[in-house]
Amino acid sequence: MANTSRTLAARAYRDGKWWTIEFPELSSPSPGGGEHRIMAVGQARNVKEIQAAAVDLAAVWLDVAESEVDVHVTIEIPGAAAELFAQAKKNEETARQAVSEAARQWREAVRALTVDGVTQADAARILDLSPQRISQLTH
């Protein structure tokens, strides 16, 4: 009989000195009934342990072997680091775009000079670039 793996999504977040792991899709009714549900929740001491703890928790909750669960954990960046990380990613992308645009402009500048009959050697001197860089920009 073939082993079928169940794919689950979990989230992990910092909770004091521990990382809490939650499986929103793994829940059961609370013993008291009503609308309350109990969600599968576990802990890990550090980020390195999160994946193993999540797989263990899912397997225990579902009463299957660990090899029968495939867990994808989203680790939430704690506190102020989350905002700083998001801003850094945004700034990095802006910088990448600026570098790409600068490279396009360098190519255009070299082409504008060489179209006007300026040699690559003279273009290098005019633009204060090495002849090798001019060659790169023209190819």
Side-chain angles (χ1 to χ4, degrees):
M1 184 148 83
N3 244 0
T4 52
S5 181
R6 179 166 174 188
T7 301
L8 300 163
R11 74 181 191 108
Y13 57 90
R14 188 79 172 166
D15 190 11
K17 291 185 176 187
W18 291 81
W19 289 88
T20 297
I21 306 159
E22 292 182 348
F23 284 88
E25 64 187 284
L26 296 182
S27 65
S28 64
S30 72
E35 295 181 27
H36 298 288
R37 298 194 60 78
I38 299 172
M39 184 185 334
V41 177
Q43 289 184 316
R45 288 179 292 190
N46 55 54
V47 172
K48 183 178 178 182
E49 295 177 359
I50 290 174
Q51 185 64 36
V55 169
D56 180 58
L57 174 62
V60 168
W61 186 273
L62 296 170
D63 195 23
V64 299
E66 288 183 5
S67 62
E68 294 181 41
V69 293
D70 182 23
V71 179
H72 298 277
V73 181
T74 300
I75 299 174
E76 296 178 5
I77 301 170
E83 179 61 32
L84 291 167
F85 176 76
Q87 191 61 47
K89 294 280 285 182
K90 181 180 173 186
N91 290 342
E92 188 175 59
E93 179 57 29
T94 299
R96 249 193 228 85
Q97 291 172 357
V99 167
S100 179
E101 178 61 14
R104 185 194 66 74
Q105 291 169 340
W106 276 113
R107 287 189 300 276
E108 288 295 318
V110 171
R111 185 170 32 177
L113 287 171
T114 57
V115 164
D116 282 345
V118 175
T119 66
Q120 285 188 7
D122 285 345
R125 288 182 192 96
I126 292 168
L127 299 174
D128 195 28
L129 296 172
S130 70
Q132 294 85 358
R133 182 66 180 134
I134 294 294
S135 179
Q136 289 172 343
L137 292 168
T138 59
H139 293 97

